Amino acid sequence: MSDAVRFGSTDAAPRFDEEERLLGRIAGMLNLPVAVFRRGHAASSPDKGPTASECATMLAAFTRIRDPDARRECLAMVEGRAEA
């Protein structure tokens, strides 16, 4: 089954491909296999930081923010919380 059929639209295939490339780049930067971002992958323990699922959810939400100013505000908020 093709990605386009799976998503029910031929327009979804290019977006899926772009998301896969982005996920691959992020995984590469973190020196992790892409599989850790997939649903059903074993989660890390909470005392070791965020789970792969939490990271993937955060990244998915961030990619839906279209306003550049809103993205900057989001990053500033996350960075601020990381320092706390």
Side-chain angles (χ1 to χ4, degrees):
M1 172 186 323
S2 76
D3 295 331
V5 172
R6 181 172 61 168
F7 286 103
S9 168
T10 56
D11 294 335
R15 180 171 169 81
F16 177 78
D17 290 342
E18 179 62 24
E19 289 174 359
E20 286 298 302
R21 280 191 293 275
L22 179 60
L23 189 57
R25 287 180 60 199
I26 292 167
M29 285 184 234
L30 297 173
N31 200 27
L32 296 170
V34 173
V36 301
F37 296 105
R38 302 280 186 243
R39 294 184 198 274
H41 187 274
S44 63
S45 94
D47 62 328
K48 293 184 179 181
T51 64
S53 177
E54 290 170 327
C55 291
T57 300
M58 178 87 153
L59 291 169
F62 185 78
T63 62
R64 292 190 306 267
I65 301 171
R66 297 291 175 223
D67 179 14
D69 292 331
R71 283 193 301 269
R72 281 190 287 278
E73 289 175 24
C74 179
L75 286 172
M77 189 265 313
V78 171
E79 288 173 345
R81 295 295 293 183
E83 295 171 3

